[in-house]
Amino acid sequence: MGADRGIHIDVSAKDYEHLGPFQVSKIIAALAKKENVILVLLGKQAIDDDCNQTGQMTVGLLDWPQGTFASEVTVNRESLTVVLKLPAVVTADLQLNEPRYATLPNIMKAKKKKIESVKPSDLGVDISSHIQILSVEDPPQRQAGVKVETVEDLGTVATLGTIFTGGT
């Protein structure tokens, strides 16, 4: 899609199981510093766990300005709605762009591009997780509701009290 080169972050299968938004943020921040970039574009949230944390954590680690849920990004033009001082991190909304479909000649050119492989340790990043899952349990079963015929019956049911103890 027009990139001059790529960087593949090589994470072992064992480490990948425990990789969360914080570990990913540490890798992105270290890579941004190493590559001396001025703009980091990220999606607004992960599709697997819906976290919406990586962009904000990356901002905290870099101490850069941030723009979140961007639906349009324009650099150095008057149509800019929100102005961010660069370097900055921007998390993108679904409507940010319309992907281009690669043509066969461009696919062939892309195969010749350099892809550097980097381990998190090469960036000085410790991706070990400090979270331990002790147990996973289903929430308690909610009590069944009561069907009432009239509004007046609702007042009678509400006075019983015990029907509504399971929550709102």
Side-chain angles (χ1 to χ4, degrees), residues 101-153:
Y101 294 99
T103 61
L104 185 58
N106 285 336
I107 292 171
M108 299 309 290
K109 287 180 193 175
K111 288 183 178 184
K112 296 177 183 175
K113 301 290 182 176
K114 179 183 175 187
I115 297 179
E116 180 183 356
S117 185
V118 177
K119 294 182 184 286
S121 58
D122 297 338
L123 300 170
V125 175
D126 174 19
I127 59 168
S128 61
S129 178
H130 301 289
I131 297 174
Q132 181 183 7
I133 298 174
L134 301 177
S135 69
V136 177
E137 300 172 14
D138 288 332
Q141 290 287 335
R142 294 184 72 176
Q143 295 179 358
V146 177
K147 184 175 180 179
V148 294
E149 298 296 324
T150 66
V151 175
E152 291 77 24
D153 293 343

Side-chain angles (χ1 to χ4, degrees), residues 19-75:
L19 206 59
F22 184 57
Q23 288 83 8
V24 172
S25 299
K26 289 181 0 179
I27 293 169
I28 293 170
L31 199 54
K33 289 177 186 175
K34 177 184 178 236
E35 293 291 316
N36 199 27
V37 299
I38 61 168
L39 183 62
V40 175
L41 289 172
L42 301 170
K44 74 174 183 180
Q45 65 197 61
I47 60 170
D48 53 358
D49 58 10
D50 241 9
C51 270
N52 185 17
Q53 297 174 350
T54 305
Q56 290 80 348
M57 288 182 184
T58 303
V59 165
L61 293 169
L62 291 171
D63 195 25
W64 288 2
Q66 73 173 343
T68 56
F69 306 107
S71 59
E72 180 180 346
V73 174
T74 313
V75 180

